[in-house]
């Protein structure tokens, strides 16, 4: 049965965990997807709106948001898979690689926008 599930490299390892943990893992994955959509929307909005921000810094902040929005789903997918495999094998859960990246990236965007507003 697990051999027919996608991705096979996750489901062929170990046994079935408690469904509540699997569903919680999926909800976390979907929350990261929503975060990625918000980052993409923010990057598009920052560039589309006529905000009084120095153009070079505005473009840099917008591009950084778009890159974060691109990277977040990829890291979320691998985070979901790593957690699912750990649950299936009874191993300790891996730490998230996404939180620190997004925190630093969003802080950098805030600095770019703030500086861009002050120098205009």
């Amino acid at each position: 049965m697990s051999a027919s599930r996608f991705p096979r490299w996750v489901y062929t390892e170990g046994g079935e965990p408690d469904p509540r943990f699997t569903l919680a893992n999926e909800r976390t994955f979907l929350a990261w997807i929503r975060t990625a959509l918000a980052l993409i929307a923010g990057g598009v909005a920052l560039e589309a709106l006529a905000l009084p921000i120095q153009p070079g810094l505005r473009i840099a902040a917008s591009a950084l948001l778009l890159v974060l929005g691109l990277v977040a789903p990829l890291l979320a997918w691998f985070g979901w898979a790593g957690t699912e495999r750990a649950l299936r094998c009874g191993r300790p859960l891996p730490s998230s690689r996404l939180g620190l990246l997004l925190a630093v990236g969003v802080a950098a965007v805030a600095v770019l926008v703030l500086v861009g507003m002050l120098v205009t």
Side-chain angles (χ1 to χ4, degrees):
M1 164 136 171
S2 63
S4 65
R5 292 165 69 187
F6 178 80
R8 188 173 291 180
W9 59 274
V10 170
Y11 290 110
T12 56
E13 192 170 321
E16 286 294 319
D18 185 328
R20 294 173 293 178
F21 300 133
T22 295
L23 293 172
N25 188 28
E26 185 175 331
R27 283 191 301 274
T28 302
F29 169 73
L30 293 173
W32 284 119
I33 297 300
R34 287 190 301 274
T35 300
L37 288 170
L39 291 165
I40 293 167
V44 170
L46 189 57
E47 189 54 33
L49 300 174
L51 300 174
I53 300 173
Q54 197 276 335
L57 295 175
R58 185 188 70 237
I59 291 171
S62 179
L64 183 52
L65 285 171
L66 292 171
V67 168
L68 289 171
L70 174 70
V71 170
L74 299 173
L75 290 178
W77 170 260
F78 289 109
W80 167 84
T83 299
E84 189 65 26
R85 288 178 76 176
L87 287 170
R88 295 179 68 79
C89 294
R91 292 190 304 253
L93 299 181
S95 61
S96 174
R97 298 178 186 139
L98 201 46
L100 180 61
L101 173 69
L102 289 184
V104 170
V106 170
V109 167
V111 168
L112 288 170
V113 170
L114 182 62
V115 171
M117 291 170 60
L118 295 175
V119 297
T120 298

